[in-house]
Amino acid sequence: MQILSIDSALKYYKVTLAYPLIEPNRRWWATIYSGLGASYVATNQSDSAMLYYKKAFKDFQSVNDYDNLALTAVALSVIYKNHGLYEEALENVLRAIRILEKEKTATIACVLL
């Protein structure tokens, strides 16, 4: 079994972005954007990671996927923290907490907080 590299993951995610009309499901796109965000974090490209996490957040919000919405807010907070943008980091952590409290969901985001 071959394990794909982060560079391969980025390549395949980018290929997927070339076909926007194939899949109109926003949850599917949010998952792609979130994967891109994680891949960019892993390659220390935080500006690109932030761009895709913000797109993922918007799409997870549009389909009421609260667990992934909270996880995405936490991911954004980590990027902001790593850039010394503590106020923005705190805003996103608090956003994740509000989402989890409002929706009464338990997720891995709780562990990350």
Side-chain angles (χ1 to χ4, degrees):
M1 182 172 135
Q2 181 182 359
I3 298 176
L4 296 176
S5 70
I6 297 298
D7 291 334
S8 294
L10 282 168
K11 174 185 165 190
Y12 290 116
Y13 280 129
K14 288 178 183 177
V15 167
T16 303
L17 291 178
Y19 300 99
L21 298 178
I22 291 175
E23 180 57 63
N25 183 309
R26 295 320 312 162
R27 180 172 283 125
W28 188 84
W29 281 107
T31 302
I32 297 298
Y33 294 146
S34 182
L36 273 162
S39 296
Y40 280 121
V41 165
T43 58
N44 295 315
Q45 298 177 62
S46 57
D47 289 342
S48 294
M50 194 176 306
L51 170 79
Y52 284 106
Y53 276 135
K54 286 180 179 181
K55 287 182 177 204
F57 189 90
K58 181 179 175 184
D59 282 345
F60 283 134
Q61 194 170 35
S62 74
V63 295
N64 299 322
D65 186 338
Y66 300 111
D67 286 342
N68 281 310
L69 198 56
L71 283 170
T72 304
V74 170
L76 283 166
S77 74
V78 171
I79 294 170
Y80 283 124
K81 181 191 76 73
N82 289 342
H83 282 282
L85 301 169
Y86 301 112
E87 192 168 321
E88 290 87 345
L90 180 59
E91 287 173 16
N92 277 278
V93 167
L94 293 174
R95 178 187 289 176
I97 291 170
R98 284 191 301 271
I99 291 165
L100 295 171
E101 285 178 342
K102 178 181 174 190
E103 299 307 319
K104 307 284 191 261
T105 59
T107 182
I108 191 69
C110 296
V111 175
L112 296 173
L113 294 174

